[in-house]
Every structure is written in C-alpha cells, then in structure tokens.
Short mmCIF file of all heavy atoms in Angstrom, two decimals:
data_model
loop_
_atom_site.label_atom_id
_atom_site.label_comp_id
_atom_site.label_asym_id
_atom_site.label_seq_id
_atom_site.Cartn_x
_atom_site.Cartn_y
_atom_site.Cartn_z
N SER A 1 -0.54 -5.22 4.61
CA SER A 1 -0.51 -6.66 4.37
C SER A 1 0.69 -6.97 3.50
O SER A 1 0.87 -6.37 2.45
CB SER A 1 -1.80 -7.13 3.69
OG SER A 1 -1.82 -8.54 3.55
N CYS A 2 1.51 -7.90 3.96
CA CYS A 2 2.74 -8.28 3.25
C CYS A 2 2.69 -9.78 2.95
O CYS A 2 3.01 -10.60 3.80
CB CYS A 2 3.97 -7.98 4.09
SG CYS A 2 4.11 -6.26 4.65
N PRO A 3 2.28 -10.15 1.73
CA PRO A 3 2.23 -11.57 1.40
C PRO A 3 3.61 -12.19 1.22
O PRO A 3 3.75 -13.41 1.23
CB PRO A 3 1.43 -11.60 0.11
CG PRO A 3 1.66 -10.27 -0.51
CD PRO A 3 1.78 -9.31 0.64
N SER A 4 4.64 -11.36 1.02
CA SER A 4 6.00 -11.85 0.89
C SER A 4 6.96 -10.74 1.30
O SER A 4 6.55 -9.58 1.46
CB SER A 4 6.30 -12.29 -0.55
OG SER A 4 6.58 -11.16 -1.37
N ALA A 5 8.23 -11.07 1.44
CA ALA A 5 9.23 -10.06 1.77
C ALA A 5 9.44 -9.09 0.62
O ALA A 5 9.99 -8.01 0.80
CB ALA A 5 10.56 -10.73 2.13
N LYS A 6 8.97 -9.44 -0.56
CA LYS A 6 9.14 -8.61 -1.75
C LYS A 6 7.88 -7.83 -2.12
O LYS A 6 7.86 -7.16 -3.16
CB LYS A 6 9.56 -9.47 -2.94
CG LYS A 6 10.93 -10.12 -2.78
CD LYS A 6 12.01 -9.07 -2.71
CE LYS A 6 13.39 -9.71 -2.63
NZ LYS A 6 14.44 -8.70 -2.44
N LEU A 7 6.83 -7.93 -1.33
CA LEU A 7 5.64 -7.11 -1.57
C LEU A 7 4.93 -6.82 -0.26
O LEU A 7 4.49 -7.73 0.43
CB LEU A 7 4.66 -7.79 -2.53
CG LEU A 7 3.37 -6.98 -2.77
CD1 LEU A 7 3.68 -5.67 -3.50
CD2 LEU A 7 2.34 -7.79 -3.53
N CYS A 8 4.84 -5.53 0.03
CA CYS A 8 3.98 -5.06 1.11
C CYS A 8 3.03 -4.03 0.53
O CYS A 8 3.42 -3.21 -0.32
CB CYS A 8 4.79 -4.43 2.24
SG CYS A 8 5.51 -5.63 3.38
N VAL A 9 1.79 -4.07 1.00
CA VAL A 9 0.76 -3.16 0.54
C VAL A 9 0.13 -2.49 1.76
O VAL A 9 -0.35 -3.18 2.67
CB VAL A 9 -0.32 -3.91 -0.27
CG1 VAL A 9 -1.44 -2.96 -0.69
CG2 VAL A 9 0.30 -4.60 -1.48
N ALA A 10 0.17 -1.17 1.79
CA ALA A 10 -0.47 -0.41 2.86
C ALA A 10 -1.56 0.46 2.24
O ALA A 10 -1.52 0.78 1.05
CB ALA A 10 0.56 0.47 3.58
N VAL A 11 -2.54 0.83 3.05
CA VAL A 11 -3.62 1.69 2.59
C VAL A 11 -3.76 2.85 3.57
O VAL A 11 -3.42 2.73 4.75
CB VAL A 11 -4.95 0.92 2.46
CG1 VAL A 11 -4.87 -0.09 1.33
CG2 VAL A 11 -5.34 0.24 3.77
N ASP A 12 -4.29 3.99 3.05
CA ASP A 12 -4.38 5.15 3.92
C ASP A 12 -5.78 5.74 3.97
O ASP A 12 -6.72 5.22 3.36
CB ASP A 12 -3.32 6.19 3.56
CG ASP A 12 -3.62 7.00 2.30
OD1 ASP A 12 -4.75 6.95 1.79
OD2 ASP A 12 -2.70 7.71 1.85
N SER A 13 -5.89 6.84 4.69
CA SER A 13 -7.18 7.46 4.98
C SER A 13 -7.70 8.34 3.85
O SER A 13 -8.76 8.95 3.98
CB SER A 13 -7.09 8.29 6.26
OG SER A 13 -6.05 9.26 6.14
N SER A 14 -6.96 8.42 2.73
CA SER A 14 -7.39 9.26 1.61
C SER A 14 -7.51 8.49 0.30
O SER A 14 -7.40 9.07 -0.78
CB SER A 14 -6.42 10.43 1.44
OG SER A 14 -6.51 11.32 2.52
N GLY A 15 -7.69 7.18 0.39
CA GLY A 15 -7.91 6.38 -0.81
C GLY A 15 -6.67 5.97 -1.54
O GLY A 15 -6.74 5.53 -2.70
N ASN A 16 -5.51 6.08 -0.89
CA ASN A 16 -4.26 5.70 -1.53
C ASN A 16 -3.83 4.29 -1.15
O ASN A 16 -4.09 3.83 -0.03
CB ASN A 16 -3.14 6.66 -1.14
CG ASN A 16 -3.42 8.08 -1.57
OD1 ASN A 16 -3.67 8.33 -2.74
ND2 ASN A 16 -3.39 9.01 -0.63
N VAL A 17 -3.16 3.63 -2.09
CA VAL A 17 -2.48 2.37 -1.85
C VAL A 17 -0.98 2.64 -1.97
O VAL A 17 -0.53 3.31 -2.90
CB VAL A 17 -2.91 1.30 -2.86
CG1 VAL A 17 -2.02 0.08 -2.79
CG2 VAL A 17 -4.36 0.91 -2.64
N LEU A 18 -0.22 2.13 -1.00
CA LEU A 18 1.23 2.27 -1.02
C LEU A 18 1.83 0.89 -1.12
O LEU A 18 1.45 -0.02 -0.36
CB LEU A 18 1.73 2.98 0.23
CG LEU A 18 1.22 4.42 0.43
CD1 LEU A 18 -0.06 4.42 1.25
CD2 LEU A 18 2.27 5.27 1.10
N THR A 19 2.76 0.69 -2.05
CA THR A 19 3.35 -0.62 -2.26
C THR A 19 4.87 -0.52 -2.21
O THR A 19 5.46 0.52 -2.52
CB THR A 19 2.95 -1.22 -3.62
OG1 THR A 19 3.35 -0.32 -4.67
CG2 THR A 19 1.45 -1.46 -3.69
N SER A 20 5.49 -1.63 -1.81
CA SER A 20 6.95 -1.67 -1.76
C SER A 20 7.46 -3.08 -1.99
O SER A 20 6.89 -4.05 -1.47
CB SER A 20 7.47 -1.18 -0.41
OG SER A 20 8.89 -1.20 -0.38
N ALA A 21 8.54 -3.17 -2.76
CA ALA A 21 9.27 -4.44 -2.91
C ALA A 21 10.42 -4.53 -1.92
O ALA A 21 11.08 -5.55 -1.82
CB ALA A 21 9.80 -4.56 -4.34
N ASN A 22 10.64 -3.44 -1.17
CA ASN A 22 11.70 -3.38 -0.16
C ASN A 22 11.17 -2.57 1.02
O ASN A 22 11.56 -1.43 1.24
CB ASN A 22 12.96 -2.73 -0.75
CG ASN A 22 14.07 -2.61 0.26
OD1 ASN A 22 14.11 -3.30 1.28
ND2 ASN A 22 15.01 -1.71 -0.01
N PRO A 23 10.25 -3.15 1.80
CA PRO A 23 9.52 -2.36 2.80
C PRO A 23 10.39 -1.75 3.88
O PRO A 23 9.99 -0.75 4.49
CB PRO A 23 8.52 -3.36 3.37
CG PRO A 23 8.97 -4.70 2.93
CD PRO A 23 9.77 -4.52 1.69
N ALA A 24 11.56 -2.29 4.14
CA ALA A 24 12.45 -1.73 5.15
C ALA A 24 13.38 -0.68 4.56
O ALA A 24 14.26 -0.16 5.25
CB ALA A 24 13.26 -2.84 5.82
N GLY A 25 13.19 -0.32 3.28
CA GLY A 25 14.13 0.54 2.58
C GLY A 25 13.89 2.03 2.71
O GLY A 25 14.57 2.82 2.06
N GLY A 26 12.92 2.47 3.50
CA GLY A 26 12.67 3.88 3.66
C GLY A 26 11.62 4.41 2.71
O GLY A 26 11.08 3.68 1.88
N ALA A 27 11.36 5.72 2.80
CA ALA A 27 10.27 6.33 2.04
C ALA A 27 10.42 6.13 0.54
O ALA A 27 9.44 5.92 -0.17
CB ALA A 27 10.17 7.81 2.37
N SER A 28 11.64 6.21 0.03
CA SER A 28 11.85 6.10 -1.42
C SER A 28 11.53 4.71 -1.95
O SER A 28 11.38 4.53 -3.16
CB SER A 28 13.28 6.49 -1.78
OG SER A 28 14.20 5.59 -1.17
N ALA A 29 11.44 3.73 -1.06
CA ALA A 29 11.15 2.36 -1.49
C ALA A 29 9.65 2.10 -1.60
O ALA A 29 9.25 1.01 -2.00
CB ALA A 29 11.77 1.36 -0.51
N TRP A 30 8.83 3.09 -1.26
CA TRP A 30 7.37 2.94 -1.30
C TRP A 30 6.79 3.82 -2.41
O TRP A 30 7.23 4.95 -2.59
CB TRP A 30 6.75 3.32 0.04
CG TRP A 30 7.02 2.33 1.13
CD1 TRP A 30 8.16 2.24 1.87
CD2 TRP A 30 6.15 1.30 1.58
NE1 TRP A 30 8.05 1.21 2.78
CE2 TRP A 30 6.82 0.61 2.62
CE3 TRP A 30 4.87 0.89 1.22
CZ2 TRP A 30 6.25 -0.46 3.29
CZ3 TRP A 30 4.30 -0.17 1.90
CH2 TRP A 30 4.98 -0.84 2.93
N LYS A 31 5.81 3.29 -3.12
CA LYS A 31 5.12 4.03 -4.18
C LYS A 31 3.67 4.22 -3.77
O LYS A 31 2.99 3.26 -3.41
CB LYS A 31 5.22 3.25 -5.50
CG LYS A 31 4.55 3.96 -6.67
CD LYS A 31 4.83 3.22 -7.97
CE LYS A 31 3.84 2.11 -8.17
NZ LYS A 31 3.91 1.49 -9.50
N ARG A 32 3.18 5.46 -3.86
CA ARG A 32 1.80 5.77 -3.47
C ARG A 32 0.99 6.12 -4.70
O ARG A 32 1.40 6.94 -5.52
CB ARG A 32 1.78 6.93 -2.48
CG ARG A 32 0.38 7.29 -1.98
CD ARG A 32 0.42 8.36 -0.92
NE ARG A 32 0.67 9.66 -1.51
CZ ARG A 32 0.65 10.81 -0.82
NH1 ARG A 32 0.41 10.80 0.48
NH2 ARG A 32 0.88 11.95 -1.41
N VAL A 33 -0.19 5.50 -4.83
CA VAL A 33 -1.12 5.82 -5.92
C VAL A 33 -2.52 5.98 -5.35
O VAL A 33 -2.91 5.28 -4.42
CB VAL A 33 -1.12 4.75 -7.04
CG1 VAL A 33 0.23 4.70 -7.74
CG2 VAL A 33 -1.50 3.38 -6.51
N ASP A 34 -3.27 6.92 -5.91
CA ASP A 34 -4.66 7.14 -5.51
C ASP A 34 -5.54 6.16 -6.28
O ASP A 34 -5.57 6.19 -7.50
CB ASP A 34 -5.07 8.58 -5.81
CG ASP A 34 -6.50 8.90 -5.37
OD1 ASP A 34 -7.16 8.02 -4.80
OD2 ASP A 34 -6.93 10.03 -5.60
N VAL A 35 -6.25 5.30 -5.55
CA VAL A 35 -7.11 4.31 -6.22
C VAL A 35 -8.58 4.45 -5.84
O VAL A 35 -9.44 3.86 -6.49
CB VAL A 35 -6.64 2.86 -5.93
CG1 VAL A 35 -5.20 2.66 -6.35
CG2 VAL A 35 -6.83 2.48 -4.47
N ASP A 36 -8.90 5.24 -4.79
CA ASP A 36 -10.26 5.23 -4.26
C ASP A 36 -10.81 6.62 -3.99
O ASP A 36 -11.60 6.82 -3.08
CB ASP A 36 -10.31 4.35 -3.00
CG ASP A 36 -11.72 3.98 -2.58
OD1 ASP A 36 -12.65 4.13 -3.38
OD2 ASP A 36 -11.89 3.54 -1.42
N ASP A 37 -10.37 7.60 -4.75
CA ASP A 37 -11.00 8.92 -4.80
C ASP A 37 -11.24 9.54 -3.42
O ASP A 37 -12.32 10.04 -3.13
CB ASP A 37 -12.31 8.83 -5.57
CG ASP A 37 -12.80 10.20 -6.04
OD1 ASP A 37 -11.96 11.09 -6.20
OD2 ASP A 37 -14.03 10.36 -6.21
N GLY A 38 -10.25 9.49 -2.55
CA GLY A 38 -10.34 10.16 -1.26
C GLY A 38 -11.05 9.40 -0.16
O GLY A 38 -11.12 9.90 0.97
N ASN A 39 -11.58 8.22 -0.41
CA ASN A 39 -12.23 7.45 0.64
C ASN A 39 -11.20 6.86 1.60
O ASN A 39 -10.06 6.60 1.23
CB ASN A 39 -13.07 6.32 0.03
CG ASN A 39 -14.31 6.84 -0.66
OD1 ASN A 39 -15.06 7.61 -0.10
ND2 ASN A 39 -14.52 6.41 -1.89
N ASP A 40 -11.62 6.64 2.82
CA ASP A 40 -10.77 6.04 3.85
C ASP A 40 -10.77 4.52 3.65
O ASP A 40 -11.78 3.86 3.90
CB ASP A 40 -11.31 6.41 5.23
CG ASP A 40 -10.40 6.00 6.37
OD1 ASP A 40 -9.39 5.32 6.12
OD2 ASP A 40 -10.70 6.38 7.51
N ILE A 41 -9.65 3.98 3.18
CA ILE A 41 -9.54 2.52 3.03
C ILE A 41 -9.14 1.97 4.39
O ILE A 41 -8.04 2.22 4.89
CB ILE A 41 -8.52 2.13 1.94
CG1 ILE A 41 -8.87 2.82 0.62
CG2 ILE A 41 -8.50 0.61 1.77
CD1 ILE A 41 -7.85 2.58 -0.49
N LEU A 42 -10.02 1.22 5.00
CA LEU A 42 -9.87 0.83 6.40
C LEU A 42 -9.07 -0.45 6.61
O LEU A 42 -8.58 -0.68 7.72
CB LEU A 42 -11.26 0.67 7.02
CG LEU A 42 -12.11 1.94 6.99
CD1 LEU A 42 -13.54 1.63 7.38
CD2 LEU A 42 -11.52 2.99 7.89
N GLY A 43 -8.95 -1.28 5.59
CA GLY A 43 -8.22 -2.52 5.76
C GLY A 43 -7.80 -3.07 4.43
O GLY A 43 -8.33 -2.70 3.38
N VAL A 44 -6.81 -3.97 4.45
CA VAL A 44 -6.35 -4.64 3.24
C VAL A 44 -5.82 -6.02 3.62
O VAL A 44 -5.25 -6.21 4.68
CB VAL A 44 -5.26 -3.81 2.51
CG1 VAL A 44 -3.99 -3.70 3.34
CG2 VAL A 44 -4.98 -4.38 1.13
N SER A 45 -6.08 -6.98 2.74
CA SER A 45 -5.57 -8.34 2.93
C SER A 45 -5.06 -8.86 1.59
O SER A 45 -5.77 -8.80 0.59
CB SER A 45 -6.66 -9.26 3.47
OG SER A 45 -6.17 -10.58 3.64
N CYS A 46 -3.82 -9.35 1.61
CA CYS A 46 -3.19 -9.88 0.40
C CYS A 46 -2.76 -11.32 0.69
O CYS A 46 -1.71 -11.54 1.30
CB CYS A 46 -1.98 -9.05 0.01
SG CYS A 46 -2.30 -7.28 -0.15
N PRO A 47 -3.55 -12.31 0.27
CA PRO A 47 -3.18 -13.69 0.54
C PRO A 47 -1.95 -14.15 -0.23
O PRO A 47 -1.27 -15.08 0.17
CB PRO A 47 -4.42 -14.49 0.14
CG PRO A 47 -5.14 -13.60 -0.82
CD PRO A 47 -4.84 -12.20 -0.41
N ASP A 48 -1.68 -13.50 -1.37
CA ASP A 48 -0.46 -13.75 -2.13
C ASP A 48 -0.15 -12.52 -2.95
O ASP A 48 -0.88 -11.52 -2.90
CB ASP A 48 -0.57 -15.02 -2.99
CG ASP A 48 -1.71 -14.96 -3.99
OD1 ASP A 48 -1.85 -13.92 -4.68
OD2 ASP A 48 -2.45 -15.94 -4.11
#
C-alpha cells in the first residue's frame, strides 16, 4: 500500500513490514523490520 510517492509499505509471509520513501530505488531503498513474530501478514492498507 502506497499512500504517497514518498511512502510505500509492503508486508510479507514472516511478519515483516517493509517501507520505502523511494520505492523505485531498488533493494537498498527498502527497510525491513519484524513486527509480527513470524506470522503471515496477508494484507495492508494505508489511507495516508
């Protein structure tokens, strides 16, 4: 979910959230953090 060109948020199958202020910038432009202890985060919505 990308509420703006300066923030995109992705979620993965191991409880991680990945964020980027430059989503087209490649792997180094994304930061991954574990927020949900290995659970599969199935969806995300960011209205802003």
Side-chain angles (χ1 to χ4, degrees):
S1 184
C2 304
S4 80
K6 295 296 184 185
L7 178 65
C8 279
V9 177
V11 292
D12 76 12
S13 56
S14 292
N16 299 305
V17 169
L18 298 91
T19 58
S20 181
N22 179 20
S28 63
W30 289 81
K31 181 173 85 171
R32 182 175 76 175
V33 294
D34 182 2
V35 303
D36 195 15
D37 198 26
N39 288 310
D40 188 354
I41 305 175
L42 300 169
V44 65
S45 179
C46 307
D48 59 46

